[in-house]
């Protein structure tokens, strides 16, 4: 074995500011926005020449947030309710011998003025994720329509999502800055980010989207958003 040097070629700026509530795979929340900022010396228009003709890209990235926690030979996927173990290589778990993730994202645009930025939609990536590589997505090679997905079948019906009357004024104000916010929150909560074993109607959950702390409860198969606040202060937005 020889050694092969690797370094991040870019960094992700994402609407998801913490791990909790990030969709479990890409494409589940099409309104999720991310920007991939290429790093020097890769941040030149030449490295992405021709990429604009592709609608989707593969990203290979480091699970930097969980990498220090190492790996185990078996893991308990949330899909199996969190109580059945399968081999690490039979999962898309973040706790892997080499903490490498792969996600497909829609390529919404490329900017090459002052550095290089890829605008991405539908990514399941944490803010600050180091990206190791970009490859164009090739539907004829990468999409296998009749593949079997074992325990990881898409399955679960989405949760219904509603907004409490108290959050409407904040939402209306924020929509000027983030026009897709209501849609984004709805898509994220429809995936039911709660751990599989949690079902407490009084429990309040929170997630960090952009600079906002969004809180909700789950009652009778419905997620109800009960507060939207700025993360930096406790003032309602
Ligand atoms: N599509 C990827 C990721 C699947 S795991 C793959 O198959 O490899 C999905 C989880 O990765 C998300 O729920 C999110 O919490 C987590 N995640 C995203 N970016 C991460 C990062 N930089 N470090 C650690 N975990 C991350």
């Amino acid at each position: 074995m020889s050694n092969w040097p690797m370094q991040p070629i870019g960094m992700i700026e994402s609407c998801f500011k913490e791990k909790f509530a990030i969709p479990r795979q890409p494409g589940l929340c099409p309104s999720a926005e991310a920007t991939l900022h290429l790093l020097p010396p890769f941040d030149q228009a030449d490295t992405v020449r021709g990429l604009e003709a592709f609608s989707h890209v593969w990203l290979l990235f480091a699970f930097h947030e969980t990498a220090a926690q190492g790996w185990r030979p078996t893991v308990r996927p949330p899909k199996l309710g969190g109580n059945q173990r399968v081999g690490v290589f039979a999962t898309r778990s973040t706790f892997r011998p080499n903490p490498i993730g792969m996600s497909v994202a829609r390529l919404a645009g490329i900017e090459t003025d002052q550095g290089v930025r890829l605008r991405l939609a539908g990514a399941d990536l944490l803010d600050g994720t180091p990206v190791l590589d970009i490859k164009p997505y090739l539907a004829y090679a990468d999409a296998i329509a009749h593949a079997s997905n074992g325990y990881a079948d898409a399955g679960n019906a989405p949760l219904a999502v509603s907004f409490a009357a108290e959050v409407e004024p904040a939402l209306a104000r924020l929509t000027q800055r983030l026009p897709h916010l209501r849609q984004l929150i709805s898509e994220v909560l429809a995936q039911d980010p709660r751990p599989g074993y949690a079902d407490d109607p009084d429990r309040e959950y929170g997630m960090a989207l952009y600079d906002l702390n969004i809180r909700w409860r789950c009652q009778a198969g419905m997620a109800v958003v009960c507060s939207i606040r700025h993360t930096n202060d406790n003032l309602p937005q």
Side-chain angles (χ1 to χ4, degrees):
M1 277 219 305
S2 56
N3 74 325
W4 47 91
M6 278 203 237
Q7 59 183 309
I9 54 97
M11 295 293 263
I12 289 287
E13 180 188 346
S14 163
C15 59
F16 299 115
K17 304 299 181 189
E18 64 184 18
K19 265 199 75 197
F20 181 61
I22 298 182
R24 292 179 180 128
Q25 282 303 333
L28 299 173
C29 298
S31 302
E33 296 180 315
T35 303
L36 170 52
H37 298 264
L38 296 196
L39 292 168
F42 316 105
D43 60 342
Q44 38 179 307
D46 271 351
T47 64
V48 292
R49 194 191 300 169
L51 189 62
E52 69 284 351
F54 292 86
S55 62
H56 291 77
V57 288
W58 280 112
L59 301 176
L60 298 168
F61 59 93
F63 286 121
H64 75 300
E65 185 89 346
T66 47
Q69 294 173 51
W71 68 282
R72 299 262 183 296
T74 61
V75 300
R76 294 181 293 195
K79 276 271 178 193
L80 289 173
N83 47 30
Q84 217 174 310
R85 290 188 171 274
V86 295
V88 62
F89 297 131
T91 75
R92 303 286 284 257
S93 165
T94 62
F95 306 103
R96 330 184 61 82
N98 295 310
I100 295 175
M102 56 187 274
S103 292
V104 75
R106 187 169 70 78
L107 182 58
I110 303 180
E111 292 156 15
T112 55
D113 58 304
Q114 295 180 356
V116 174
R117 292 170 302 284
L118 270 54
R119 301 276 176 211
L120 305 167
D124 57 349
L125 303 171
L126 182 63
D127 192 50
T129 296
V131 173
L132 301 169
D133 205 358
I134 306 165
K135 302 187 193 222
Y137 174 82
L138 300 179
Y140 65 84
D142 297 341
I144 300 172
H146 302 295
S148 54
N149 304 308
Y151 67 86
D153 245 335
N156 294 3
L159 271 189
V161 179
S162 71
F163 295 80
E166 306 91 88
V167 306
E168 288 296 347
L171 202 52
R173 228 170 307 135
L174 284 161
T175 300
Q176 293 164 24
R177 173 163 63 101
L178 301 166
H180 61 301
L181 184 62
R182 180 188 294 266
Q183 177 66 21
L184 175 62
I185 296 172
S186 302
E187 288 171 3
V188 172
L189 297 189
Q191 299 302 315
D192 196 357
R194 295 174 300 167
Y197 36 85
D199 196 16
D200 176 354
D202 295 322
R203 170 123 187 234
E204 208 175 282
Y205 297 88
M207 64 173 167
L209 284 184
Y210 297 99
D211 53 353
L212 303 169
N213 178 1
I214 319 268
R215 304 191 69 80
W216 75 96
R217 286 196 194 86
C218 283
Q219 284 153 355
M222 174 173 284
V224 182
V225 179
C226 50
S227 99
I228 300 180
R229 287 169 185 271
H230 204 277
T231 35
N232 292 336
D233 58 41
N234 277 334
L235 296 173
Q237 280 305 287

